[in-house]
Amino acid sequence: MDDAAVRLARHGPALLRWSVGLVFLWFGVLKLFPGTSPAEAVAVRAATRMTFGVLPPDAVAPLLALMETAIGVGLLTGLLLRLTLAVFFCHMAGVFLALFLLADEMWQDGFLVPTMEGQYIVKNVVLIAAGLVVAAGERGRRARRRACGPRARPEP
């Protein structure tokens, strides 16, 4: 392999982690300011349905904003990455539930023709794939660290 391919293979998971983290941070911060996120209304309606109305719409929006912002920060920094990835995948599952919970808003002329809102959700398969690569990279990094054993400490 040439040097560029080796570097990309080595740093690809980190690049994906940072890029997905930036997207989540950006979109999460947008949701902190009502009316600035084009996905806010659909996200709030879907999350309200998922919680059977237990969480009122005015509470859902800031909670989604905080969750997405926290996912973004976790991915960007790498801190609590396993927890961040778990929350990320749960969030993605909730996002995809909207395709069924709000089916009349997500599909036109049958199941295979998404509306603009449906397209916004379906494209998240790319984010899920990126999350899987990040998770695999993290798992591989941890396995390599365990295989190498504890670092030798210099003697005083």
Side-chain angles (χ1 to χ4, degrees), residues 56-133:
D58 58 338
V60 168
L63 288 173
L64 284 173
L66 290 174
M67 179 189 303
E68 289 181 11
T69 301
I71 291 169
V73 169
L75 289 171
L76 284 168
T77 64
L79 297 173
L80 300 172
L81 191 53
R82 292 174 78 181
L83 176 61
T84 298
L85 287 167
V87 174
F88 166 81
F89 287 117
C90 288
H91 179 65
M92 286 289 100
V95 167
F96 274 91
L97 270 176
L99 292 172
F100 304 100
L101 294 174
L102 304 174
D104 54 327
E105 295 179 48
M106 300 294 132
W107 306 102
Q108 60 185 353
D109 302 328
F111 182 70
L112 294 177
V113 183
T115 62
M116 186 61 74
E117 291 84 0
Q119 290 176 37
Y120 190 83
I121 292 173
V122 169
K123 60 92 181 129
N124 284 317
V125 297
V126 176
L127 292 178
I128 292 170
L132 290 170
V133 170

Side-chain angles (χ1 to χ4, degrees), residues 151-156:
R151 292 185 181 167
R153 297 183 188 249
E155 294 191 27

Side-chain angles (χ1 to χ4, degrees), residues 37-52:
S37 171
E40 179 182 351
V42 168
V44 167
R45 282 194 303 279
T48 302
R49 280 214 186 149
M50 275 182 243
T51 63
F52 302 102

Side-chain angles (χ1 to χ4, degrees), residues 8-54:
L8 186 56
R10 184 181 314 131
H11 301 293
L15 182 60
L16 278 172
R17 182 170 58 84
W18 297 329
S19 60
V20 173
L22 181 62
V23 167
F24 265 82
L25 180 64
W26 187 355
F27 288 5
V29 168
L30 280 179
K31 285 183 181 76
L32 289 172
F33 302 96
T36 59
S37 171
E40 179 182 351
V42 168
V44 167
R45 282 194 303 279
T48 302
R49 280 214 186 149
M50 275 182 243
T51 63
F52 302 102
V54 171

